[in-house]
Amino acid sequence: MKQITLLLCGLLLCSTAVFAQTGTQPQLYHPDADARADIQAAVKKASAAGKHVFLQMGGNWCGWCIAFDKLVKSNDTLRNYLEQNYEVVHVNYSQENKNEAVFASLGHPERFGFPVFVILDGKGERIHTQNSAYLEEGKGHSSKAVLQFFKHWSPAALKPPAAK
C-alpha cells in the first residue's frame, strides 16, 4: 500500500510539473501552423510596406528562442526597430512538425542550432541567415549586437548608396 501511495504521489507531482510548464511557457511557435502560408503572407505585407521578413526559427521547447523573444519585446528600441523594418514569422521546428520542406527551401538553417534567423526581402528571396550564437553575450543575447544585426539587414541598409 505504501508503494502504491508513493507511486500515485510521484505521478501527481509529475503531472503537476508538466501542467505548470505548459501553462506558463509562451507559445511563440505553433506546430499546426502552415509555415509556408505564413511566410508568403508576411512577404506580401513586407513588399507592400517596404519591409523585409524576419523569420525566427525554433520551438517552444527552446529556452534561447523564448529568451530572444522576451529580450526583443521588453526592449523598446529593439521592438520598435523590428516592427518598423520587418514582418515577423515564428517558424516551428519540433517533434510534432519539423517543417522540413520550409527549412530545406531556406538552405537548412537548422544546422546552426536554435534560434536561427532568416531574413527575406520583399520578394521572398533569402538574403541572410544568422546563427544566433554570434548575438550572444554572457548568458543571453546582447541588445547591442541584436540591434546591429537588425540594422545591417534592414531594407534601408541594403539600398545602393545612390538610392539613399
Side-chain angles (χ1 to χ4, degrees):
M1 184 65 152
K2 191 175 185 179
Q3 289 176 330
I4 292 174
T5 303
L6 286 173
L7 179 63
L8 289 174
C9 286
L11 287 172
L12 181 62
L13 284 174
C14 287
S15 64
T16 302
V18 168
F19 178 76
Q21 277 188 332
T22 58
T24 60
Q25 284 185 322
Q27 296 297 304
L28 299 174
Y29 301 90
H30 301 282
D32 56 340
D34 183 343
R36 190 170 304 282
D38 291 347
I39 292 168
Q40 288 172 345
V43 167
K44 187 175 181 180
K45 285 177 70 175
S47 179
K51 295 180 178 183
H52 284 164
V53 177
F54 177 77
L55 304 179
Q56 181 177 328
M57 308 178 96
N60 295 318
W61 51 267
C62 170
W64 283 96
C65 301
I66 304 303
F68 181 85
D69 188 73
K70 283 181 182 177
L71 170 70
V72 172
K73 286 180 178 171
S74 67
N75 182 308
D76 291 341
T77 302
L78 294 176
R79 185 182 66 252
N80 291 334
Y81 197 88
L82 187 65
E83 288 173 359
Q84 291 168 7
N85 292 280
Y86 298 92
E87 292 297 326
V88 178
V89 180
H90 289 86
V91 180
N92 183 73
Y93 183 93
S94 66
Q95 289 181 353
E96 299 87 6
N97 184 358
K98 294 182 179 179
N99 278 306
E100 292 171 312
V102 172
F103 278 80
S105 72
L106 296 168
H108 293 284
E110 70 274 22
R111 70 187 183 276
F112 296 115
F114 295 99
V116 62
F117 312 116
V118 175
I119 307 294
L120 307 177
D121 65 15
K123 297 175 186 171
E125 299 294 321
R126 179 172 56 99
I127 57 175
H128 183 67
T129 300
Q130 180 68 42
N131 179 337
S132 67
Y134 296 122
L135 304 176
E136 293 173 15
E137 179 179 77
K139 294 184 179 191
H141 293 97
S142 161
S143 297
K144 182 179 176 182
V146 171
L147 182 60
Q148 186 178 38
F149 162 60
F150 288 165
K151 286 183 175 183
H152 284 175
W153 294 99
S154 70
L158 298 181
K159 287 183 181 173
K164 288 184 181 179

